[in-house]
Amino acid sequence: MKKVHGACPHDCPDTCAWVVTVNDEGEAIEFHGDPDHPFTKGALCSKLKRYPQRVYSQERVLYPLKRSGPKGSGEFVRISWDQAIEEVSSKFKETIEKSGPLAVLPYNFAGTIGMLQRYAGEQFFSRLGATEILGDICGATAYDAISSVIGPMDSMQVEDLQYSKFIILWGTNTATTNVHLWGGAIATARRSGATIVVVDPIKTNTAAHADWHIQVKPGTDAALALAMMHVIIRDGLYDKEFVDMHCLGFNGLSERVKEYPPEKAEEITGISATEIEKFAIAYATTSPSAIRTVVGMERYSNGHTAVRAVACLPGLVGAYREKGGGLSSFMLSMFFEALDYSVMLPPEEHLPRSRSLHLAELGRALTDPDMDPPVECLMVYNSNPVVTAPNQNLVIEGLKRDDLFAVVHEQFITDTALYADIVLPATTQFEHLELMPSWGTGYLALNKPAIEPLGEAVPNTELFRRLSRAMGFTETYLHLSDEERIRLMMATGHKYICGITYETLAENGWASLNLGDFQPLANGQFTTPSGKCEFYSQDYADAGQDPLPIYEPLDPFEYGVDYETPLHLVSAKNAHFLNSEYVNLRHRGTVKHQPEVEMNPQDAASRDIVDGDMVRLYNRFGEVRVRVHVSNMTKEGVVYLPFNWWPETTANGQSANALTPDGVSRRDIGSNAFDAHIQIRKAG
Ligand SMILES: Nc1nc2c(c(=O)[nH]1)N[C@H]1C(S)=C(S)[C@@H](COP(=O)(O)OP(=O)(O)OC[C@H]3O[C@@H](n4cnc5c(=O)[nH]c(N)nc54)[C@H](O)[C@@H]3O)O[C@H]1N2
Ligand SMILES: Nc1nc2c(c(=O)[nH]1)N[C@H]1C(S)=C(S)[C@@H](COP(=O)(O)OP(=O)(O)OC[C@H]3O[C@@H](n4cnc5c(=O)[nH]c(N)nc54)[C@H](O)[C@@H]3O)O[C@H]1N2
Ligand code: SF4
Ligand SMILES: [Mo]
């Protein structure tokens, strides 16, 4: 018997630490959260209790597979690793010879946030000169917008929310997506009398359990934040001293917010002027006050404007002065400083790559006839774009192309792997070494392999070492071992990581970064170009965007969603799944077997629809057939469908992203998937 320390690999802010008990036969027989870890406190979420089931699932891909039937048929035969590597590398070489390296496209996203597995292919594909995937469908817009106000930095530790007296969970479903924060710091704050406010178009689990739910119309948060700033400035409730000393553009902001009296914001947001006044005054007069936001607001054509307007509020009221006050979001920059990311990233001489495509536009990248050169080889790892990328039908159309050679490195035959020519078996977190930063806590973890890889599964890093060899790439950095890479990443000497070594991490499993009394903005010191909290952003002005916070209406019609589709579709996360993972492991009795769309009683009645009906949700991108749940979870005009479900779980084999547009936000970074508008009718 041995106990092995590890950590959850998922793209979840909690980054829980765990302990696996392994018997003498090398099998993981027991598994629990690490009770000593200050954030996990011994409890894993309900999804992760199924991790051992995931590891030992009969459905795991354990050997390299080659397609033996038509694309999408799921017919594969087992091949050896040697044959697999030979087929992939010769296809890459042949394609490069014929069409150049840009005809190769890697697609990698959020299957794991571990430093090794997440970035494993970056150096390989840059050495190859492949087309680069830029932008993202999670976090980039929000991070960019927050950075435009306070700089690319972490402004508070999430745990300090416990000292807050007024917490606004703005576009984040904390009780579902960030469970240890909800059960930890937020519960503590509440016990000490804090008011918890949720701003969300959906009555989520979080909203239902909060003190106050502000049920804003999707895509209108900028108008709400501007009206709050209108009230705060009008009534002199802002922190004059903080603003004078540490903020840039107050005069412009004061003029701008005059355009957003609460009565005007009421028309835009659906929140009454009286409630907006009350909300603004409560926020500005309670301290410490904190706004927490993650990614819920960003996935719109105007997503950056929403996050930017909201991010101006804490500076205006001087919330950063006190512990427990400020803006809580991604905790990324502290890891960027503590670890040497360059160990995983392409060397300078391979940058920039000569073609980049946007992650949200995968379907277009695979089908656009003007793409020169067209994408001939696609390699997907750490992602299941058929479920998670916008415009599902176009993604599938691309994957079905006979002249596309698709390789998928996976743990399961996902809906994406179904269309692959070659499927390669990937290890799970029980089977590989990994260094885990966190984007939601200040803890670093080392995940040691608890068991030997099952079958012939290999970590992403090993896959790219094998491919590098087969391609004849001899650069040393492409062949470093996993442990060598981790030691190099940790060798920064930065104060945050001082005293934390590979050995101490291996011994304890995790360590707290040395953040001290982390309140970097108490006396200003913003990391923006001006060193101030930028209500006015020169960077935005230079990019041709309004430099002050502004509300810009969505323009869903620009993306071909037509006027016949009046209902706004929000498609966010589900409590039982982690993005598209675990959908195939659902258990009778614990999870509903099919997705349901949430519809407001008025919208249902006007369409002659009753609770439990099978309905069709459609727009020009696709159609989804599911049962309807008539409820007050949404307001009139808004419907809700969780995005995580695999297509096979709906009545017609299309899931939420079959209805989402594949454009990018107006700041050209993130996806506009939540601009989606649809119609719903009873299924015939
Ligand atoms: N409509 C809509 N769309 C969304 C969202 C939404 O809210 N609504 N959310 C967006 C967000 S926030 C995100 S992060 C993305 C997530 O999008 P994806 O990155 O596609 O996330 P997953 O569905 O988790 O798919 C990850 C896949 O990687 C595999 N995997 C896990 N670990 C490893 C590994 O070590 N190696 C390899 N090779 N594979 C591995 C898993 O088995 C899984 O199939 O979806 C986005 N899409
Ligand atoms: N159980 C579970 N936990 C997860 C995940 C999961 O799939 N399942 N995914 C993980 C990942 S990858 C991420 S990035 C995080 C994300 O964590 P969150 O940001 O909390 O998650 P989301 O569900 O993307 O969005 C949060 C909320 O934003 C709301 N929202 C949508 N549009 C708007 C709007 O216009 N205005 C406002 N104010 N709110 C809006 C949605 O209704 C949703 O309730 O969660 C992580 N944790
Ligand atoms: S998914 Fe999130 S909450 Fe669940 S165990 Fe992993 S890190 Fe913790
Ligand atoms: Mo995400």
Side-chain angles (χ1 to χ4, degrees):
M1 286 289 200
K2 59 172 182 177
K3 290 200 184 291
V4 184
H5 284 286
C8 179
H10 288 303
D11 186 17
C12 167
D14 297 20
T15 324
C16 293
W18 69 37
V19 183
V20 188
T21 308
V22 181
N23 68 13
D24 295 340
E25 280 73 54
E27 294 156 347
I29 51 164
E30 213 266 331
F31 167 69
H32 57 79
D34 185 343
D36 300 328
H37 188 267
F39 209 73
T40 312
K41 293 197 174 84
L44 301 173
C45 68
S46 57
K47 307 175 284 296
L48 258 284
K49 295 201 175 115
R50 284 181 275 157
Y51 203 77
Q53 185 197 335
R54 181 180 177 89
V55 174
Y56 289 113
S57 166
Q58 295 296 318
E59 294 175 35
R60 271 285 296 279
V61 177
L62 296 178
Y63 303 94
L65 302 171
K66 182 177 171 156
R67 182 167 62 83
S68 58
K71 291 203 178 200
S73 64
E75 292 165 34
F76 295 101
V77 290
R78 181 175 163 183
I79 55 173
S80 70
W81 261 108
D82 285 348
Q83 184 185 345
I85 291 290
E86 166 56 25
E87 293 210 11
V88 175
S89 58
S90 35
K91 188 71 194 180
F92 281 3
K93 286 179 195 161
E94 184 191 309
T95 305
I96 293 168
E97 182 99 346
K98 182 170 80 83
S99 313
L102 294 177
V104 179
L105 177 71
Y107 186 98
N108 160 41
F109 203 49
T112 156
I113 56 164
M115 293 295 298
L116 292 176
Q117 311 313 330
R118 175 170 210 174
Y119 299 109
E122 301 291 333
Q123 294 172 335
F124 173 81
F125 284 110
S126 79
R127 170 68 182 78
L128 195 123
T131 295
E132 181 180 24
I133 279 274
L134 277 186
D136 93 2
I137 47 176
C138 171
T141 299
Y143 191 69
D144 170 79
I146 290 171
S147 302
S148 76
V149 181
I150 68 167
M153 66 181 304
D154 306 316
S155 62
M156 67 188 289
Q157 283 227 57
V158 275
E159 275 128 319
D160 288 347
L161 287 172
Q162 66 182 296
Y163 305 116
S164 187
K165 291 285 175 245
F166 196 86
I167 301 176
I168 308 176
L169 302 172
W170 204 316
T172 178
N173 185 5
T174 317
T176 294
T177 59
N178 202 176
V179 292
H180 295 85
L181 179 61
W182 178 253
I186 291 179
T188 308
R190 211 164 191 189
R191 279 195 297 276
S192 311
T195 302
I196 314 296
V197 190
V198 170
V199 184
D200 199 308
I202 312 299
K203 188 187 256 185
T204 57
N205 189 16
T206 313
H209 291 94
D211 299 301
W212 192 351
H213 179 200
I214 304 211
Q215 202 166 3
V216 68
K217 279 188 196 160
T220 67
D221 300 83
L224 176 61
L226 282 156
M228 288 172 75
M229 292 193 268
H230 173 104
V231 173
I232 291 168
I233 296 176
R234 181 198 68 197
D235 293 359
L237 298 175
Y238 62 99
D239 185 332
K240 191 164 181 324
E241 194 187 67
F242 193 87
V243 167
D244 284 349
M245 286 180 66
H246 304 304
C247 301
L248 181 77
F250 178 72
N251 290 342
L253 179 69
S254 307
E255 285 305 309
R256 173 56 55 82
V257 299
K258 285 186 186 147
E259 297 166 32
Y260 296 92
E263 295 69 26
K264 181 170 168 195
E266 173 175 335
E267 282 168 31
I268 300 171
T269 63
I271 307 300
S272 75
T274 325
E275 191 169 7
I276 296 174
E277 294 262 354
K278 209 172 113 195
F279 183 32
I281 292 169
Y283 171 66
T285 58
T286 317
S287 97
S289 67
I291 293 177
R292 176 158 177 85
T293 186
V294 190
V295 301
M297 267 187 280
E298 72 165 12
R299 230 169 269 111
Y300 291 90
S301 49
N302 69 1
H304 56 294
T305 60
V307 181
R308 189 166 148 67
V310 169
C312 287
L313 278 159
L316 188 64
V317 300
Y320 298 111
R321 285 177 188 270
E322 287 182 78
K323 211 170 181 58
L327 181 65
S328 165
S329 191
F330 312 97
M331 295 175 72
L332 287 173
S333 67
M334 51 180 70
F335 286 99
F336 291 154
E337 288 178 55
L339 302 175
D340 184 356
Y341 279 62
S342 74
V343 174
M344 299 305 298
L345 298 179
E348 290 287 324
E349 68 260 28
H350 294 314
L351 293 172
R353 307 252 278 270
S354 38
R355 180 168 76 175
S356 57
L357 299 173
H358 197 285
L359 194 90
E361 299 179 334
L362 178 63
R364 297 187 204 192
L366 298 179
T367 55
D368 185 348
D370 295 331
M371 194 65 65
D372 183 23
V375 176
E376 292 170 42
C377 297
L378 171 74
M379 175 148 182
V380 179
Y381 59 106
N382 293 339
S383 187
N384 184 10
V386 165
V387 179
T388 58
N391 200 352
Q392 185 173 88
N393 288 314
L394 197 64
V395 172
I396 294 176
E397 191 184 315
L399 289 173
K400 277 187 173 159
R401 264 178 44 202
D402 275 333
D403 56 347
L404 178 77
F405 177 74
V407 184
V408 177
H409 187 220
E410 250 303 346
Q411 298 163 348
F412 292 94
I413 299 293
T414 58
D415 287 281
T416 306
L418 262 189
Y419 294 92
D421 296 281
I422 302 277
V423 182
L424 300 171
T427 41
T428 66
Q429 193 84 333
F430 277 11
E431 299 152 82
H432 55 228
L433 182 69
E434 185 58 284
L435 181 69
M436 299 298 305
S438 171
W439 58 266
T441 74
Y443 300 98
L444 177 68
L446 186 80
N447 178 83
K448 287 212 290 187
I451 60 173
E452 288 295 317
L454 299 184
E456 294 178 358
V458 302
N460 299 359
T461 43
E462 174 59 17
L463 167 63
F464 288 106
R465 282 189 291 262
R466 290 183 187 186
L467 278 175
S468 295
R469 271 197 298 277
M471 295 297 293
F473 298 162
T474 52
E475 290 81 350
T476 315
Y477 66 83
L478 290 168
H479 299 281
L480 294 172
S481 74
D482 292 356
E483 187 178 322
E484 279 170 328
R485 282 188 189 269
I486 294 181
R487 287 184 185 274
L488 286 171
M489 281 189 270
M490 292 180 68
T492 55
H494 192 276
K495 65 176 182 198
Y496 287 165
I497 201 172
C498 189
I500 306 172
T501 63
Y502 185 90
E503 283 69 29
T504 57
L505 262 192
E507 175 73 23
N508 302 324
W510 56 271
S512 174
L513 295 183
N514 306 310
L515 300 173
D517 188 21
F518 192 79
Q519 237 196 307
L521 294 177
N523 303 308
Q525 299 177 326
F526 292 88
T527 55
T528 52
S530 66
K532 297 196 167 193
C533 174
E534 296 194 349
F535 301 144
Y536 179 96
S537 164
Q538 189 58 45
D539 179 32
Y540 265 53
D542 293 346
Q545 271 140 1
D546 200 307
L548 288 165
I550 186 169
Y551 165 70
E552 292 171 353
L554 296 176
D555 190 6
F557 310 113
E558 197 177 306
Y559 300 96
V561 182
D562 62 37
Y563 287 87
E564 301 296 308
T565 55
L567 299 169
H568 202 145
L569 171 75
V570 175
S571 56
K573 318 285 191 284
N574 173 295
H576 305 293
F577 311 131
L578 202 292
N579 299 330
S580 75
E581 298 182 53
Y582 301 94
V583 175
N584 54 331
L585 299 176
R586 62 198 187 281
H587 249 351
R588 188 172 293 277
T590 53
V591 181
K592 279 192 231 160
H593 282 248
Q594 268 136 18
E596 281 182 343
V597 59
E598 297 287 338
M599 195 175 188
N600 173 283
Q602 283 89 340
D603 289 327
S606 65
R607 290 168 178 76
D608 228 2
I609 289 171
V610 296
D611 190 47
D613 275 351
M614 182 60 80
V615 290
R616 302 192 293 130
L617 288 64
Y618 61 90
N619 60 16
R620 66 168 279 247
F621 297 105
E623 172 173 316
V624 176
R625 290 183 181 226
V626 287
R627 293 210 180 273
V628 66
H629 185 230
V630 178
S631 75
N632 286 316
M633 210 169 147
T634 60
K635 280 188 177 172
E636 203 172 344
V638 181
V639 292
Y640 180 74
L641 181 68
F643 94 101
N644 317 60
W645 294 89
W646 291 18
E648 67 188 47
T649 61
T650 69
N652 68 329
Q654 298 182 37
S655 60
N657 271 321
L659 301 167
T660 53
D662 52 354
V664 292
S665 78
R666 286 186 204 127
R667 201 161 148 77
D668 212 12
I669 302 173
S671 139
N672 70 349
F674 285 14
D675 279 17
H677 276 62
I678 60 165
Q679 181 58 283
I680 301 193
R681 298 288 178 209
K682 209 185 264 199

